[in-house]
Amino acid sequence: MLITKNINEIIGIITDSDIQKRIFALNLKADNPAYMAMTSPVILAPEHITVMEAIETGRQHKINHLILHDEEMKAKGVFRISAFYGRLFDRYSLLNEDIKNAETTDDIKQMYQRLQKQIISLVKSGLPAQYITGILTTFSDAVTVKVIEMAIRDYGHPPANFSFISLGSEGRKEETLLTDQDNALIIEDFPKEKETIVIDYFTRLSLKINESLHHIGYAFCKGNIMAMNPKWCKPYSAWVKYFREWISTPEPQNLLEATIFFDFRTVYGDASLTDSLKEKIGQLIKENPVSLYHLAYNTVQLKTPHLISGNIHSEKNTAVIELKSAVVPIIMFARTYSLQNNIWQTNTTDRLHMLKEKRIIDKDIYENLVFAFRFLMSLRFRTQAQQLENNEKMSNDLHYRDISYSEFHILKKVIEDIEDLQSKMKSDFRVSG
C-alpha cells in the first residue's frame, strides 16, 4: 500500500515486512496513523525502466518493491522483485516438468542444449549469478533424478537403500556453464551374504547413470570422481572409514584432494545415510581439530591471481585472469569455518550467512565476501556465455580487454578482500609460514 500526501505525492509504502517489523514488533494499534508503520522515503523509477535496471535499483537500495511513475510523476504501479523471480523460476520449472515426462536421454539432451541457449540470454541481460546457478542446479537435479529412475526401471528395484550424492560445485549448488560430473554413491551396510548381488547391481546402475549424464552433456569427471568408479560406490561404513582417514591423518595434500567430498548432498535416495554421515564427520572433526588447521593452511597457501598494470584495453594485451582460482579461496574459507562450527549447508553464500548469524564473522566480512563471490561468479558466467555463443572451448579464463575499467578496479578490490580473509584465517588457526 502506498501512502500519499495531496493525492499524488508518495511519502511511504507499507508491505508485509513493514507489518512484521513495525506493527507487530512495536505493538501498534489498529487506530494508529499508517505513517507510523510505513517505510520512507520511497524509491521511484520511470515506468519505461528495463527489468534488469529495476532489479539493480532494488539491489542497490536493498528493497523488494520499486514504485514506477509516468512523466508527470504519477504512480503507475509497483514492480515487486521477488514476484519477478518467482515467475522466472515458474517458467523454468515447466522445463523440469518436461524432464519428468521425457522418455529417452536424447529428449533430455535436447532440453539441456535449449537451456544453455536460454542461459546465454539471461547472462547477457544481467541476471545476477545466484539466480542462474539456481536455475542450473534445479535443472541438473531434475535430470539426475530422471536418469536414476530410468536406470532403476531398466535394472529393477535396488537390493539395498542408497543415496546418490553430488559433490563439489554441484554439491554446493554453484554450477556454471562449464561443469563436469562430481558424484558418488553411498549404499546402506548389508550382510556379507548379499555382497555379490548388491555390488553387482550398483556397479551396473552407477555406470548407467554416469554414461547417461555424459550423453546428455554433463562431461565425465577428469579426476574420475564419479559413482561408476568402484572407489566412490561404497557402503556407508566404507565412507565413514574414508572420512576418518582424511580427518585423523590430515596431510595437507590428502585433505586438499579430499575437500571436494566435504560438499556433498543427496540428490536421490535415502537422505538419512548422508545425514548420519554428516553427524559422524562432525564427531571426527571434534576429535581431530588439527584437521581444521590443515584445511586453513591449504586456504592460506592459495595464490590469488596477479593483476597486471597498464592499459588493459591495449590491442597488444593478451593477458588473462583465471577466475576459478580467484573464487576458490572464498569457497574454502566458508567450508573450513563451517566445518569448525558444525554448519552443514553446502552452498557458499548459505555458509557465510550462517557464519554471520552465529557471529563467527562480522557483517562487513559477510557482505564483502558475498559481494566478491557473486561478482566473480557473474564474470565466470559472462565469460563462458561468450565462449559458448562463439563456439569456443569453454574455460574460466577472462581476457582483460573484455572488462571495463570500473570492473577491473572492482576486481582489484575483490582480490584484496580475498587476501585479507587469508590473513584472518592465518591468525585464527595460527597457520605458520
Side-chain angles (χ1 to χ4, degrees), residues 60 72 80 127 153 155 181 203 216 232-233 241 248 263 271 275 304 314 340-341 344 370 398:
Q60 289 176 355
E72 297 177 356
R80 190 154 58 94
L127 186 69
R153 181 189 64 195
Y155 294 133
Q181 294 186 54
T203 298
I216 290 165
W232 310 124
C233 179
K241 186 177 180 181
S248 61
D263 297 337
D275 291 341
T304 55
S314 168
Q340 182 190 42
N341 293 280
W344 288 106
V370 169
L398 171 69

Side-chain angles (χ1 to χ4, degrees), residues 158-422:
N161 289 335
F162 72 98
S163 174
F164 187 89
I165 59 175
S166 282
L167 312 165
S169 62
E170 292 177 73
R172 294 191 304 274
K173 302 182 182 180
E174 293 163 5
E175 291 181 57
T176 64
L177 289 167
L178 175 61
T179 187
D180 59 6
Q181 294 186 54
D182 289 310
N183 49 57
L185 199 142
I186 305 171
I187 311 166
E188 70 175 346
D189 287 329
F190 47 82
K192 184 71 175 176
E193 58 268 22
K194 289 182 65 177
E195 182 175 5
T196 302
I197 295 173
V198 172
I199 296 301
D200 177 67
Y201 176 89
F202 284 108
T203 298
R204 291 184 293 118
L205 185 79
S206 299
L207 180 62
K208 180 73 171 178
I209 294 168
N210 289 141
E211 287 183 337
S212 296
L213 290 172
H214 179 74
H215 175 73
I216 290 165
Y218 297 95
F220 287 134
C221 172
K222 293 178 181 178
N224 202 20
I225 301 176
M226 294 178 288
M228 69 180 188
N229 182 344
K231 186 176 181 180
W232 310 124
C233 179
K234 291 288 187 181
Y236 173 82
S237 55
W239 281 101
V240 172
K241 186 177 180 181
Y242 281 152
F243 279 99
R244 178 179 287 113
E245 183 176 339
W246 290 328
I247 294 169
S248 61
T249 54
E251 292 294 325
Q253 186 59 35
N254 291 344
L255 262 183
L256 190 61
E257 294 171 356
T259 48
I260 187 174
F261 292 96
F262 286 93
D263 297 337
F264 66 88
R265 63 182 177 88
T266 296
V267 178
Y268 182 95
D270 187 356
S272 68
L273 291 169
T274 51
D275 291 341
S276 178
L277 186 57
K278 288 173 183 176
E279 188 176 336
K280 189 65 179 177
I281 293 169
Q283 294 173 1
L284 290 169
I285 289 173
K286 279 185 179 180
E287 294 167 5
N288 302 274
V290 69
S291 61
L292 294 168
Y293 168 87
H294 290 292
L295 286 172
Y297 176 86
N298 286 333
T299 307
V300 169
Q301 293 301 310
L302 289 173
K303 300 295 183 185
T304 55
H306 173 70
L307 300 184
I308 65 165
S309 57
N311 184 0
I312 63 172
H313 290 159
S314 168
E315 291 183 5
K316 296 180 180 180
N317 183 10
T318 59
V320 298
I321 176 173
E322 211 284 324
L323 293 169
K324 187 174 181 179
S325 64
V327 80
V328 165
I330 303 175
I331 294 169
M332 294 178 69
F333 175 94
R335 178 195 294 128
T336 302
Y337 281 95
S338 293
L339 289 172
Q340 182 190 42
N341 293 280
N342 205 33
I343 294 170
W344 288 106
Q345 278 86 350
T346 56
N347 179 265
T348 298
T349 53
D350 287 346
R351 281 170 164 169
L352 291 171
H353 176 74
M354 288 303 300
L355 289 170
K356 177 178 73 76
E357 291 298 297
K358 289 193 171 190
R359 300 185 179 180
I360 309 302
I361 59 175
D362 63 32
K363 183 181 177 183
D364 287 343
I365 291 176
Y366 165 75
E367 290 182 348
N368 287 343
L369 289 183
V370 169
F371 174 83
F373 181 78
R374 289 176 175 171
F375 176 74
L376 292 169
M377 290 294 286
S378 293
L379 289 181
R380 290 177 73 187
F381 274 119
R382 197 173 78 191
T383 299
Q384 292 167 12
Q386 288 173 350
Q387 293 165 343
L388 188 61
E389 194 172 31
N390 296 332
N391 294 315
E392 299 171 352
K393 183 179 180 181
M394 276 195 291
S395 72
N396 288 291
D397 292 338
L398 171 69
H399 288 268
Y400 281 87
R401 60 176 179 265
D402 291 335
I403 58 175
S404 66
Y405 281 104
S406 61
E407 287 174 324
F408 175 78
H409 289 295
I410 293 172
L411 185 58
K412 187 176 180 180
K413 176 65 168 62
V414 161
I415 297 300
E416 290 172 356
D417 287 344
I418 292 171
E419 291 171 347
D420 287 344
L421 76 84
Q422 289 177 306

